[in-house]
Amino acid sequence: MIELEGLIKRFGDTTVLDGIDLEIQEGEIIVVIGPSGTGKSTLLRCMNFLERPDAGRLRIGDLDLDVTRARKAEILALRRRTAFVFQNYALFANKTALENIAEGLIVVNRWPRAKAHSRAHEILERIGLAEKANAYPASLSGGQQQRIGIGRAMAAQADVILFDEPTSSLDPEWVEEVLGLMKQLARERQTMLVVTHEMGFARDVADRVIFMDGGRIVEQDVPSRLFTQPRDERTRDFLRKVLANQAASLGPEGSHSRGEPDNGQDSIKETP
Amino acid sequence: MRELDFGYMLELFPILLRYLPLTLEMAGAGMVLALVLACLLAVIRVLKLPGLNALTLLFISFFRGTPLLVQLFLFYYGLPQLLAFLTQINGVTATIMGLTLHFSAYMAESIRAAIVGVDRSQTEAALSIGMTNAQLMRRIVLPQATRIAVPTLMNYFIDMIKATSLAFTLGVTELMGATQKEAAGSFLYFEAFITVAILYWGIVELLAWAQRRLESRLGEAYRR
C-alpha cells in the first residue's frame, strides 16, 4: 500500500502542491485529471523525488519517509519502489531497446548481465517489440519508444508505476498502441498512477479518478460516478470543456478513447 | 625568378621526418594532459563547486585570453627567474606545459557544453530508476557527452599539433626548428618551408580521416 500525507511542494512563492493526502491500494489503477498547472505532474515527480517535496509523509510498503528529512539512501530506496514513465519517453539514446530495459537491473539491482538481458527479452516480448531488441531509440517511432519507456518501468518491478502524460507527446497514430499496453498492465493489476488527458482511458480502465485543481485533490470517485455526477463545480466545468473539445475534434460517432489534441497541451481551451 | 628545386625538397623530406616523433610526442603528451585537466575543470564548472568554480573561471579566462606564445615565454624565460626550481625546465617540458594549460582552457568549455548538452530528461530517467549520480554520469551522460565533444576536441588536437611549432622559439629542434636550420644552410627558404607545410598538412589530414571514422562509430546509435 502507498500513502501520501500532507504533501506540499512550492516553487518559489507558488505553492504547487497544497497538502495532498492519498492512499493507493495494491493493484489499484488511479487516473489523475485536471487543468494544466494544477500540480498533477509535480505530484508524480514528488513521489519519485525528481522534485523534493517541502513537507509531508510518504509511505510505500515498509518504507516510511518524512520528506523533509529524507536521506540519500532513503531516496534511492524510494525510487526503486516507484517507476516513472515520462511524457517525452526519455530513453537512453546511447543504448538499444534491450539495454534501456536491462540498464536498471544491471546497474541498480546488480544483476548479472545475462540474467538482466534475458529478463529484458521477456519484457520486450510482452510489449510486442521483441524484434526491435537491438534498435536504438532514434530509429524507433514515438509509440515504440514509449512502449520501451513503459518496459523500462516494468523491469524495475516497482510497487507502483507513475505515468506522466504518457501519450501527450505522441502523434495521434501511436496513441492507441501505448494505451493498449497500459490497459494490458491494468488487466495484470499492476498498480498505476496515471496523469493523462485521455478521458476514455480513465473511464474504461481506472478504478478511481482523481480531479486536481490548484494543487489540491478536489474530488475522487469511481469513473462511472465522477464522469456522470461530478459534485464540485470545478470538476463539472473541467469535464464540460474537455468532453466538448473531444466531441468537437471527433465528430458524433468518434471513439471516446481518442481525439485528445496531439500537441501535448491541455485540452481546456474554450470550444467555439 | 628561379625554378623550384624539387630535388632538394625530396632530400629534405626524410631529414625532416626524423623530427616528426618529437613533434608528435609533444602534441600527444599535451593532449592527454590537457584532456585530464579539462575534464576536471569541466566537472568543477558543471557542479559549480564553491570556490573552485571561481578559480576555474579565472584560469580559463587567463589561458584563453593571452597568446600561447606569450604563455610559452612566461613559462620558459619568465617563471624560472621567480621560481628557482624551474631553472631546470627544458624547452620540451615548457612547451608541453604551455600546450596543456592553454588548450585545457578551451577544451574545458567544450566538454562542459557537451555534458550540459545531454538531454536532461535522460538524467531524470536514470535517477527515476534509482541510479546514483556517479552511475548516471558514467553510464548515460559521459558516453553521450563524448560523442558531442569529439569533433571540437579533435579540432583542438589538430590545432595543438600545429602549435608545437612554437617550441622552436624556445630553442627546441622539432619539425619547425629543424626546417629553419636546414633552410638557413641551403638558402632555399621556399622549398624548405613548403616541405614542412606539406608535412603538417599530411599529419592533419590523417587525423581528420581518423576523426571521421571515430565520429561515425560513435554516431551508430543516432542513425535513423
Side-chain angles (χ1 to χ4, degrees), chain A residues 45 48 76 79-80 88 90-94 103 107-108 110 136 138 152, chain B residues 121-122 124-125 127-132 135 139-140 143-144 221-222 224:
Chain A
R45 292 170 61 80
N48 193 259
L76 282 180
R79 284 179 175 152
R80 280 162 210 201
N88 66 350
L91 296 184
F92 306 130
N94 60 330
E103 182 70 8
V107 179
V108 179
R110 308 232 170 254
Y136 285 98
R152 178 172 65 187
Chain B
S121 68
Q122 291 183 45
E124 291 198 335
L127 287 177
S128 82
I129 56 175
M131 281 200 214
T132 63
Q135 286 169 337
R139 311 263 317 182
I140 309 298
Q144 297 184 67
Y222 301 85
R224 280 161 199 280

PDB file of all heavy atoms in Angstrom, chain A residues 45 48 76 79-80 88 90-94 103 107-108 110 136 138 152, chain B residues 121-122 124-125 127-132 135 139-140 143-144 221-222 224:
ATOM      1  N   ARG A  45       6.147  13.550  -9.741  1.00  0.00           N
ATOM      2  CA  ARG A  45       7.592  13.782  -9.631  1.00  0.00           C
ATOM      3  C   ARG A  45       8.036  13.815  -8.170  1.00  0.00           C
ATOM      4  O   ARG A  45       9.142  13.408  -7.849  1.00  0.00           O
ATOM      5  CB  ARG A  45       7.974  15.068 -10.356  1.00  0.00           C
ATOM      6  CG  ARG A  45       7.794  14.954 -11.890  1.00  0.00           C
ATOM      7  CD  ARG A  45       7.933  16.283 -12.584  1.00  0.00           C
ATOM      8  NE  ARG A  45       9.247  16.869 -12.389  1.00  0.00           N
ATOM      9  CZ  ARG A  45      10.333  16.528 -13.073  1.00  0.00           C
ATOM     10  NH1 ARG A  45      10.248  15.643 -14.022  1.00  0.00           N
ATOM     11  NH2 ARG A  45      11.485  17.093 -12.815  1.00  0.00           N
ATOM     12  N   ASN A  48       8.534  10.345  -6.735  1.00  0.00           N
ATOM     13  CA  ASN A  48       9.768   9.713  -7.201  1.00  0.00           C
ATOM     14  C   ASN A  48      10.992  10.538  -6.788  1.00  0.00           C
ATOM     15  O   ASN A  48      12.119  10.236  -7.125  1.00  0.00           O
ATOM     16  CB  ASN A  48       9.683   9.574  -8.725  1.00  0.00           C
ATOM     17  CG  ASN A  48      10.740   8.660  -9.292  1.00  0.00           C
ATOM     18  OD1 ASN A  48      11.733   9.129  -9.805  1.00  0.00           O
ATOM     19  ND2 ASN A  48      10.555   7.370  -9.186  1.00  0.00           N
ATOM     20  N   LEU A  76      17.016   6.807  -2.701  1.00  0.00           N
ATOM     21  CA  LEU A  76      17.304   5.739  -3.663  1.00  0.00           C
ATOM     22  C   LEU A  76      16.334   4.576  -3.470  1.00  0.00           C
ATOM     23  O   LEU A  76      15.798   4.029  -4.434  1.00  0.00           O
ATOM     24  CB  LEU A  76      18.749   5.249  -3.507  1.00  0.00           C
ATOM     25  CG  LEU A  76      19.832   6.138  -4.109  1.00  0.00           C
ATOM     26  CD1 LEU A  76      21.213   5.519  -3.877  1.00  0.00           C
ATOM     27  CD2 LEU A  76      19.603   6.354  -5.589  1.00  0.00           C
ATOM     28  N   ARG A  79      13.013   5.460  -4.907  1.00  0.00           N
ATOM     29  CA  ARG A  79      12.996   5.444  -6.365  1.00  0.00           C
ATOM     30  C   ARG A  79      12.947   4.016  -6.895  1.00  0.00           C
ATOM     31  O   ARG A  79      12.385   3.761  -7.958  1.00  0.00           O
ATOM     32  CB  ARG A  79      14.227   6.165  -6.908  1.00  0.00           C
ATOM     33  CG  ARG A  79      14.082   7.670  -6.787  1.00  0.00           C
ATOM     34  CD  ARG A  79      15.299   8.381  -7.307  1.00  0.00           C
ATOM     35  NE  ARG A  79      15.100   9.817  -7.288  1.00  0.00           N
ATOM     36  CZ  ARG A  79      16.085  10.696  -7.159  1.00  0.00           C
ATOM     37  NH1 ARG A  79      17.333  10.280  -7.051  1.00  0.00           N
ATOM     38  NH2 ARG A  79      15.831  11.983  -7.163  1.00  0.00           N
ATOM     39  N   ARG A  80      13.549   3.087  -6.147  1.00  0.00           N
ATOM     40  CA  ARG A  80      13.498   1.696  -6.594  1.00  0.00           C
ATOM     41  C   ARG A  80      12.100   1.113  -6.450  1.00  0.00           C
ATOM     42  O   ARG A  80      11.770   0.114  -7.055  1.00  0.00           O
ATOM     43  CB  ARG A  80      14.510   0.858  -5.797  1.00  0.00           C
ATOM     44  CG  ARG A  80      15.909   1.042  -6.339  1.00  0.00           C
ATOM     45  CD  ARG A  80      16.997   0.629  -5.389  1.00  0.00           C
ATOM     46  NE  ARG A  80      18.173   1.455  -5.664  1.00  0.00           N
ATOM     47  CZ  ARG A  80      19.404   1.121  -5.326  1.00  0.00           C
ATOM     48  NH1 ARG A  80      19.633  -0.010  -4.708  1.00  0.00           N
ATOM     49  NH2 ARG A  80      20.387   1.913  -5.613  1.00  0.00           N
ATOM     50  N   ASN A  88       8.008  12.519 -22.586  1.00  0.00           N
ATOM     51  CA  ASN A  88       8.839  12.508 -23.803  1.00  0.00           C
ATOM     52  C   ASN A  88       9.713  11.253 -23.886  1.00  0.00           C
ATOM     53  O   ASN A  88      10.785  11.285 -24.464  1.00  0.00           O
ATOM     54  CB  ASN A  88       9.701  13.769 -23.855  1.00  0.00           C
ATOM     55  CG  ASN A  88      10.720  13.784 -22.737  1.00  0.00           C
ATOM     56  OD1 ASN A  88      10.643  12.955 -21.833  1.00  0.00           O
ATOM     57  ND2 ASN A  88      11.682  14.675 -22.802  1.00  0.00           N
ATOM     58  N   ALA A  90      12.114   9.780 -22.763  1.00  0.00           N
ATOM     59  CA  ALA A  90      13.391   9.866 -22.027  1.00  0.00           C
ATOM     60  C   ALA A  90      14.171   8.566 -22.057  1.00  0.00           C
ATOM     61  O   ALA A  90      14.750   8.149 -21.063  1.00  0.00           O
ATOM     62  CB  ALA A  90      13.147  10.313 -20.579  1.00  0.00           C
ATOM     63  N   LEU A  91      14.181   7.906 -23.203  1.00  0.00           N
ATOM     64  CA  LEU A  91      15.007   6.704 -23.325  1.00  0.00           C
ATOM     65  C   LEU A  91      16.473   7.109 -23.370  1.00  0.00           C
ATOM     66  O   LEU A  91      16.808   8.221 -23.789  1.00  0.00           O
ATOM     67  CB  LEU A  91      14.642   5.932 -24.602  1.00  0.00           C
ATOM     68  CG  LEU A  91      13.226   5.361 -24.655  1.00  0.00           C
ATOM     69  CD1 LEU A  91      13.035   4.548 -25.926  1.00  0.00           C
ATOM     70  CD2 LEU A  91      12.921   4.514 -23.436  1.00  0.00           C
ATOM     71  N   PHE A  92      17.353   6.187 -22.948  1.00  0.00           N
ATOM     72  CA  PHE A  92      18.781   6.446 -23.025  1.00  0.00           C
ATOM     73  C   PHE A  92      19.190   6.332 -24.490  1.00  0.00           C
ATOM     74  O   PHE A  92      19.148   5.261 -25.077  1.00  0.00           O
ATOM     75  CB  PHE A  92      19.553   5.458 -22.162  1.00  0.00           C
ATOM     76  CG  PHE A  92      19.080   5.428 -20.730  1.00  0.00           C
ATOM     77  CD1 PHE A  92      18.773   4.237 -20.100  1.00  0.00           C
ATOM     78  CD2 PHE A  92      18.916   6.613 -20.023  1.00  0.00           C
ATOM     79  CE1 PHE A  92      18.326   4.211 -18.794  1.00  0.00           C
ATOM     80  CE2 PHE A  92      18.470   6.597 -18.709  1.00  0.00           C
ATOM     81  CZ  PHE A  92      18.174   5.394 -18.095  1.00  0.00           C
ATOM     82  N   ALA A  93      19.599   7.451 -25.075  1.00  0.00           N
ATOM     83  CA  ALA A  93      19.833   7.493 -26.516  1.00  0.00           C
ATOM     84  C   ALA A  93      21.039   6.657 -26.936  1.00  0.00           C
ATOM     85  O   ALA A  93      21.140   6.248 -28.084  1.00  0.00           O
ATOM     86  CB  ALA A  93      20.023   8.940 -26.971  1.00  0.00           C
ATOM     87  N   ASN A  94      21.933   6.393 -25.998  1.00  0.00           N
ATOM     88  CA  ASN A  94      23.142   5.632 -26.344  1.00  0.00           C
ATOM     89  C   ASN A  94      22.965   4.137 -26.116  1.00  0.00           C
ATOM     90  O   ASN A  94      23.920   3.386 -26.205  1.00  0.00           O
ATOM     91  CB  ASN A  94      24.340   6.152 -25.537  1.00  0.00           C
ATOM     92  CG  ASN A  94      24.117   6.024 -24.037  1.00  0.00           C
ATOM     93  OD1 ASN A  94      22.991   6.088 -23.567  1.00  0.00           O
ATOM     94  ND2 ASN A  94      25.178   5.840 -23.291  1.00  0.00           N
ATOM     95  N   GLU A 103      19.165  -1.882 -18.272  1.00  0.00           N
ATOM     96  CA  GLU A 103      20.118  -0.987 -17.596  1.00  0.00           C
ATOM     97  C   GLU A 103      19.919  -0.928 -16.078  1.00  0.00           C
ATOM     98  O   GLU A 103      20.871  -1.090 -15.316  1.00  0.00           O
ATOM     99  CB  GLU A 103      20.011   0.424 -18.196  1.00  0.00           C
ATOM    100  CG  GLU A 103      20.980   1.445 -17.620  1.00  0.00           C
ATOM    101  CD  GLU A 103      22.427   1.182 -18.012  1.00  0.00           C
ATOM    102  OE1 GLU A 103      22.665   0.296 -18.867  1.00  0.00           O
ATOM    103  OE2 GLU A 103      23.304   1.847 -17.456  1.00  0.00           O
ATOM    104  N   VAL A 107      22.634  -2.046 -13.301  1.00  0.00           N
ATOM    105  CA  VAL A 107      23.323  -1.015 -12.521  1.00  0.00           C
ATOM    106  C   VAL A 107      22.741  -0.871 -11.120  1.00  0.00           C
ATOM    107  O   VAL A 107      23.476  -0.752 -10.143  1.00  0.00           O
ATOM    108  CB  VAL A 107      23.245   0.345 -13.247  1.00  0.00           C
ATOM    109  CG1 VAL A 107      23.939   1.420 -12.436  1.00  0.00           C
ATOM    110  CG2 VAL A 107      23.871   0.230 -14.621  1.00  0.00           C
ATOM    111  N   VAL A 108      21.415  -0.882 -11.033  1.00  0.00           N
ATOM    112  CA  VAL A 108      20.774  -0.617  -9.747  1.00  0.00           C
ATOM    113  C   VAL A 108      20.585  -1.909  -8.952  1.00  0.00           C
ATOM    114  O   VAL A 108      20.918  -1.981  -7.779  1.00  0.00           O
ATOM    115  CB  VAL A 108      19.415   0.083  -9.964  1.00  0.00           C
ATOM    116  CG1 VAL A 108      18.727   0.330  -8.629  1.00  0.00           C
ATOM    117  CG2 VAL A 108      19.624   1.398 -10.701  1.00  0.00           C
ATOM    118  N   ARG A 110      22.043  -4.762  -9.637  1.00  0.00           N
ATOM    119  CA  ARG A 110      23.286  -5.543  -9.686  1.00  0.00           C
ATOM    120  C   ARG A 110      23.067  -6.972 -10.175  1.00  0.00           C
ATOM    121  O   ARG A 110      23.691  -7.904  -9.684  1.00  0.00           O
ATOM    122  CB  ARG A 110      23.963  -5.556  -8.319  1.00  0.00           C
ATOM    123  CG  ARG A 110      24.151  -4.183  -7.727  1.00  0.00           C
ATOM    124  CD  ARG A 110      25.588  -3.958  -7.309  1.00  0.00           C
ATOM    125  NE  ARG A 110      25.813  -2.569  -6.957  1.00  0.00           N
ATOM    126  CZ  ARG A 110      26.478  -1.711  -7.735  1.00  0.00           C
ATOM    127  NH1 ARG A 110      27.004  -2.098  -8.866  1.00  0.00           N
ATOM    128  NH2 ARG A 110      26.640  -0.463  -7.366  1.00  0.00           N
ATOM    129  N   TYR A 136      18.206   1.225 -31.776  1.00  0.00           N
ATOM    130  CA  TYR A 136      18.414   2.388 -30.913  1.00  0.00           C
ATOM    131  C   TYR A 136      17.163   3.278 -30.954  1.00  0.00           C
ATOM    132  O   TYR A 136      16.443   3.292 -31.960  1.00  0.00           O
ATOM    133  CB  TYR A 136      19.631   3.179 -31.365  1.00  0.00           C
ATOM    134  CG  TYR A 136      20.937   2.502 -31.004  1.00  0.00           C
ATOM    135  CD1 TYR A 136      21.620   1.731 -31.940  1.00  0.00           C
ATOM    136  CD2 TYR A 136      21.458   2.615 -29.727  1.00  0.00           C
ATOM    137  CE1 TYR A 136      22.811   1.093 -31.602  1.00  0.00           C
ATOM    138  CE2 TYR A 136      22.640   1.984 -29.383  1.00  0.00           C
ATOM    139  CZ  TYR A 136      23.317   1.225 -30.327  1.00  0.00           C
ATOM    140  OH  TYR A 136      24.476   0.602 -29.981  1.00  0.00           O
ATOM    141  N   ALA A 138      16.591   6.311 -31.570  1.00  0.00           N
ATOM    142  CA  ALA A 138      16.450   7.257 -32.681  1.00  0.00           C
ATOM    143  C   ALA A 138      15.790   6.615 -33.900  1.00  0.00           C
ATOM    144  O   ALA A 138      15.215   7.307 -34.728  1.00  0.00           O
ATOM    145  CB  ALA A 138      17.810   7.825 -33.064  1.00  0.00           C
ATOM    146  N   ARG A 152      10.822  -0.303 -19.575  1.00  0.00           N
ATOM    147  CA  ARG A 152      11.872   0.023 -18.600  1.00  0.00           C
ATOM    148  C   ARG A 152      11.275   0.127 -17.199  1.00  0.00           C
ATOM    149  O   ARG A 152      11.860  -0.330 -16.212  1.00  0.00           O
ATOM    150  CB  ARG A 152      12.542   1.341 -19.009  1.00  0.00           C
ATOM    151  CG  ARG A 152      13.615   1.819 -18.062  1.00  0.00           C
ATOM    152  CD  ARG A 152      14.361   3.007 -18.623  1.00  0.00           C
ATOM    153  NE  ARG A 152      13.502   4.183 -18.777  1.00  0.00           N
ATOM    154  CZ  ARG A 152      13.881   5.303 -19.378  1.00  0.00           C
ATOM    155  NH1 ARG A 152      15.101   5.402 -19.876  1.00  0.00           N
ATOM    156  NH2 ARG A 152      13.052   6.319 -19.492  1.00  0.00           N
TER     157      ARG A 152
ATOM    158  N   SER B 121      16.304  15.059 -19.690  1.00  0.00           N
ATOM    159  CA  SER B 121      15.291  14.076 -19.306  1.00  0.00           C
ATOM    160  C   SER B 121      15.911  12.684 -19.135  1.00  0.00           C
ATOM    161  O   SER B 121      15.404  11.867 -18.380  1.00  0.00           O
ATOM    162  CB  SER B 121      14.161  14.036 -20.337  1.00  0.00           C
ATOM    163  OG  SER B 121      14.629  13.505 -21.540  1.00  0.00           O
ATOM    164  N   GLN B 122      17.022  12.434 -19.828  1.00  0.00           N
ATOM    165  CA  GLN B 122      17.680  11.137 -19.637  1.00  0.00           C
ATOM    166  C   GLN B 122      18.305  11.038 -18.258  1.00  0.00           C
ATOM    167  O   GLN B 122      18.352   9.964 -17.654  1.00  0.00           O
ATOM    168  CB  GLN B 122      18.759  10.918 -20.706  1.00  0.00           C
ATOM    169  CG  GLN B 122      18.182  10.729 -22.086  1.00  0.00           C
ATOM    170  CD  GLN B 122      19.276  10.442 -23.097  1.00  0.00           C
ATOM    171  OE1 GLN B 122      20.176   9.654 -22.863  1.00  0.00           O
ATOM    172  NE2 GLN B 122      19.203  11.101 -24.235  1.00  0.00           N
ATOM    173  N   GLU B 124      17.023  12.458 -15.646  1.00  0.00           N
ATOM    174  CA  GLU B 124      15.883  12.199 -14.765  1.00  0.00           C
ATOM    175  C   GLU B 124      15.458  10.737 -14.848  1.00  0.00           C
ATOM    176  O   GLU B 124      15.128  10.119 -13.834  1.00  0.00           O
ATOM    177  CB  GLU B 124      14.709  13.101 -15.144  1.00  0.00           C
ATOM    178  CG  GLU B 124      14.962  14.559 -14.831  1.00  0.00           C
ATOM    179  CD  GLU B 124      13.686  15.361 -14.785  1.00  0.00           C
ATOM    180  OE1 GLU B 124      12.704  14.934 -15.448  1.00  0.00           O
ATOM    181  OE2 GLU B 124      13.657  16.391 -14.100  1.00  0.00           O
ATOM    182  N   ALA B 125      15.482  10.197 -16.085  1.00  0.00           N
ATOM    183  CA  ALA B 125      15.095   8.797 -16.242  1.00  0.00           C
ATOM    184  C   ALA B 125      16.050   7.905 -15.461  1.00  0.00           C
ATOM    185  O   ALA B 125      15.628   6.954 -14.802  1.00  0.00           O
ATOM    186  CB  ALA B 125      15.089   8.416 -17.717  1.00  0.00           C
ATOM    187  N   LEU B 127      17.819   8.746 -12.820  1.00  0.00           N
ATOM    188  CA  LEU B 127      17.528   8.925 -11.394  1.00  0.00           C
ATOM    189  C   LEU B 127      16.269   8.163 -11.011  1.00  0.00           C
ATOM    190  O   LEU B 127      16.196   7.539  -9.959  1.00  0.00           O
ATOM    191  CB  LEU B 127      17.328  10.418 -11.078  1.00  0.00           C
ATOM    192  CG  LEU B 127      18.572  11.294 -11.070  1.00  0.00           C
ATOM    193  CD1 LEU B 127      18.174  12.746 -10.824  1.00  0.00           C
ATOM    194  CD2 LEU B 127      19.552  10.837  -9.997  1.00  0.00           C
ATOM    195  N   SER B 128      15.261   8.207 -11.900  1.00  0.00           N
ATOM    196  CA  SER B 128      13.966   7.618 -11.553  1.00  0.00           C
ATOM    197  C   SER B 128      14.055   6.108 -11.349  1.00  0.00           C
ATOM    198  O   SER B 128      13.255   5.541 -10.631  1.00  0.00           O
ATOM    199  CB  SER B 128      12.920   7.941 -12.620  1.00  0.00           C
ATOM    200  OG  SER B 128      13.028   7.046 -13.718  1.00  0.00           O
ATOM    201  N   ILE B 129      15.023   5.445 -12.006  1.00  0.00           N
ATOM    202  CA  ILE B 129      15.144   4.009 -11.753  1.00  0.00           C
ATOM    203  C   ILE B 129      16.142   3.721 -10.634  1.00  0.00           C
ATOM    204  O   ILE B 129      16.497   2.578 -10.404  1.00  0.00           O
ATOM    205  CB  ILE B 129      15.512   3.208 -13.026  1.00  0.00           C
ATOM    206  CG1 ILE B 129      16.802   3.722 -13.661  1.00  0.00           C
ATOM    207  CG2 ILE B 129      14.383   3.225 -14.036  1.00  0.00           C
ATOM    208  CD1 ILE B 129      17.241   2.870 -14.838  1.00  0.00           C
ATOM    209  N   GLY B 130      16.591   4.761  -9.955  1.00  0.00           N
ATOM    210  CA  GLY B 130      17.396   4.547  -8.751  1.00  0.00           C
ATOM    211  C   GLY B 130      18.893   4.594  -8.946  1.00  0.00           C
ATOM    212  O   GLY B 130      19.650   4.148  -8.091  1.00  0.00           O
ATOM    213  N   MET B 131      19.359   5.124 -10.079  1.00  0.00           N
ATOM    214  CA  MET B 131      20.804   5.252 -10.251  1.00  0.00           C
ATOM    215  C   MET B 131      21.338   6.386  -9.377  1.00  0.00           C
ATOM    216  O   MET B 131      20.650   7.370  -9.128  1.00  0.00           O
ATOM    217  CB  MET B 131      21.137   5.583 -11.714  1.00  0.00           C
ATOM    218  CG  MET B 131      21.106   4.396 -12.639  1.00  0.00           C
ATOM    219  SD  MET B 131      22.061   4.777 -14.133  1.00  0.00           S
ATOM    220  CE  MET B 131      21.139   3.885 -15.355  1.00  0.00           C
ATOM    221  N   THR B 132      22.590   6.230  -8.945  1.00  0.00           N
ATOM    222  CA  THR B 132      23.244   7.321  -8.237  1.00  0.00           C
ATOM    223  C   THR B 132      23.809   8.300  -9.265  1.00  0.00           C
ATOM    224  O   THR B 132      23.889   7.983 -10.448  1.00  0.00           O
ATOM    225  CB  THR B 132      24.406   6.798  -7.374  1.00  0.00           C
ATOM    226  OG1 THR B 132      25.376   6.221  -8.253  1.00  0.00           O
ATOM    227  CG2 THR B 132      23.935   5.741  -6.396  1.00  0.00           C
ATOM    228  N   GLN B 135      26.725   6.810 -11.108  1.00  0.00           N
ATOM    229  CA  GLN B 135      26.320   5.801 -12.096  1.00  0.00           C
ATOM    230  C   GLN B 135      25.755   6.439 -13.352  1.00  0.00           C
ATOM    231  O   GLN B 135      26.076   6.041 -14.473  1.00  0.00           O
ATOM    232  CB  GLN B 135      25.274   4.851 -11.487  1.00  0.00           C
ATOM    233  CG  GLN B 135      25.871   3.870 -10.483  1.00  0.00           C
ATOM    234  CD  GLN B 135      24.798   3.129  -9.707  1.00  0.00           C
ATOM    235  OE1 GLN B 135      23.658   3.588  -9.582  1.00  0.00           O
ATOM    236  NE2 GLN B 135      25.159   1.976  -9.164  1.00  0.00           N
ATOM    237  N   ARG B 139      27.402   5.921 -17.009  1.00  0.00           N
ATOM    238  CA  ARG B 139      26.701   5.038 -17.942  1.00  0.00           C
ATOM    239  C   ARG B 139      25.903   5.792 -19.001  1.00  0.00           C
ATOM    240  O   ARG B 139      25.710   5.292 -20.102  1.00  0.00           O
ATOM    241  CB  ARG B 139      25.731   4.110 -17.184  1.00  0.00           C
ATOM    242  CG  ARG B 139      26.323   3.410 -15.998  1.00  0.00           C
ATOM    243  CD  ARG B 139      26.788   2.023 -16.289  1.00  0.00           C
ATOM    244  NE  ARG B 139      25.876   1.234 -17.102  1.00  0.00           N
ATOM    245  CZ  ARG B 139      26.128  -0.017 -17.409  1.00  0.00           C
ATOM    246  NH1 ARG B 139      27.216  -0.602 -16.963  1.00  0.00           N
ATOM    247  NH2 ARG B 139      25.298  -0.690 -18.172  1.00  0.00           N
ATOM    248  N   ILE B 140      25.392   6.967 -18.641  1.00  0.00           N
ATOM    249  CA  ILE B 140      24.470   7.650 -19.546  1.00  0.00           C
ATOM    250  C   ILE B 140      25.057   8.957 -20.087  1.00  0.00           C
ATOM    251  O   ILE B 140      25.100   9.181 -21.294  1.00  0.00           O
ATOM    252  CB  ILE B 140      23.121   7.945 -18.828  1.00  0.00           C
ATOM    253  CG1 ILE B 140      22.569   6.680 -18.174  1.00  0.00           C
ATOM    254  CG2 ILE B 140      22.122   8.565 -19.789  1.00  0.00           C
ATOM    255  CD1 ILE B 140      22.237   5.550 -19.125  1.00  0.00           C
ATOM    256  N   PRO B 143      29.182   8.917 -21.837  1.00  0.00           N
ATOM    257  CA  PRO B 143      29.298   8.335 -23.183  1.00  0.00           C
ATOM    258  C   PRO B 143      28.683   9.232 -24.264  1.00  0.00           C
ATOM    259  O   PRO B 143      29.212   9.320 -25.371  1.00  0.00           O
ATOM    260  CB  PRO B 143      28.522   7.016 -23.067  1.00  0.00           C
ATOM    261  CG  PRO B 143      28.518   6.678 -21.626  1.00  0.00           C
ATOM    262  CD  PRO B 143      28.519   7.995 -20.896  1.00  0.00           C
ATOM    263  N   GLN B 144      27.575   9.880 -23.927  1.00  0.00           N
ATOM    264  CA  GLN B 144      26.937  10.743 -24.920  1.00  0.00           C
ATOM    265  C   GLN B 144      27.648  12.077 -25.060  1.00  0.00           C
ATOM    266  O   GLN B 144      27.722  12.650 -26.145  1.00  0.00           O
ATOM    267  CB  GLN B 144      25.459  10.959 -24.555  1.00  0.00           C
ATOM    268  CG  GLN B 144      24.686   9.664 -24.588  1.00  0.00           C
ATOM    269  CD  GLN B 144      23.203   9.864 -24.336  1.00  0.00           C
ATOM    270  OE1 GLN B 144      22.515  10.470 -25.145  1.00  0.00           O
ATOM    271  NE2 GLN B 144      22.719   9.368 -23.216  1.00  0.00           N
ATOM    272  N   ALA B 221      24.443   4.899 -32.718  1.00  0.00           N
ATOM    273  CA  ALA B 221      23.149   4.843 -32.027  1.00  0.00           C
ATOM    274  C   ALA B 221      22.183   5.909 -32.516  1.00  0.00           C
ATOM    275  O   ALA B 221      21.015   5.885 -32.169  1.00  0.00           O
ATOM    276  CB  ALA B 221      23.355   4.990 -30.524  1.00  0.00           C
ATOM    277  N   TYR B 222      22.673   6.854 -33.315  1.00  0.00           N
ATOM    278  CA  TYR B 222      21.834   8.013 -33.606  1.00  0.00           C
ATOM    279  C   TYR B 222      21.331   8.040 -35.031  1.00  0.00           C
ATOM    280  O   TYR B 222      20.734   9.000 -35.476  1.00  0.00           O
ATOM    281  CB  TYR B 222      22.590   9.305 -33.275  1.00  0.00           C
ATOM    282  CG  TYR B 222      22.985   9.318 -31.825  1.00  0.00           C
ATOM    283  CD1 TYR B 222      24.150   8.711 -31.398  1.00  0.00           C
ATOM    284  CD2 TYR B 222      22.144   9.884 -30.881  1.00  0.00           C
ATOM    285  CE1 TYR B 222      24.494   8.679 -30.065  1.00  0.00           C
ATOM    286  CE2 TYR B 222      22.473   9.872 -29.536  1.00  0.00           C
ATOM    287  CZ  TYR B 222      23.657   9.264 -29.144  1.00  0.00           C
ATOM    288  OH  TYR B 222      23.972   9.228 -27.816  1.00  0.00           O
ATOM    289  N   ARG B 224      18.966   7.219 -38.026  1.00  0.00           N
ATOM    290  CA  ARG B 224      17.542   6.932 -38.109  1.00  0.00           C
ATOM    291  C   ARG B 224      17.244   5.910 -39.175  1.00  0.00           C
ATOM    292  O   ARG B 224      17.982   5.740 -40.086  1.00  0.00           O
ATOM    293  CB  ARG B 224      16.785   8.228 -38.418  1.00  0.00           C
ATOM    294  CG  ARG B 224      16.602   9.032 -37.179  1.00  0.00           C
ATOM    295  CD  ARG B 224      16.301  10.475 -37.486  1.00  0.00           C
ATOM    296  NE  ARG B 224      16.567  11.290 -36.337  1.00  0.00           N
ATOM    297  CZ  ARG B 224      15.724  11.402 -35.309  1.00  0.00           C
ATOM    298  NH1 ARG B 224      14.584  10.772 -35.342  1.00  0.00           N
ATOM    299  NH2 ARG B 224      16.041  12.147 -34.277  1.00  0.00           N
TER     300      ARG B 224
END
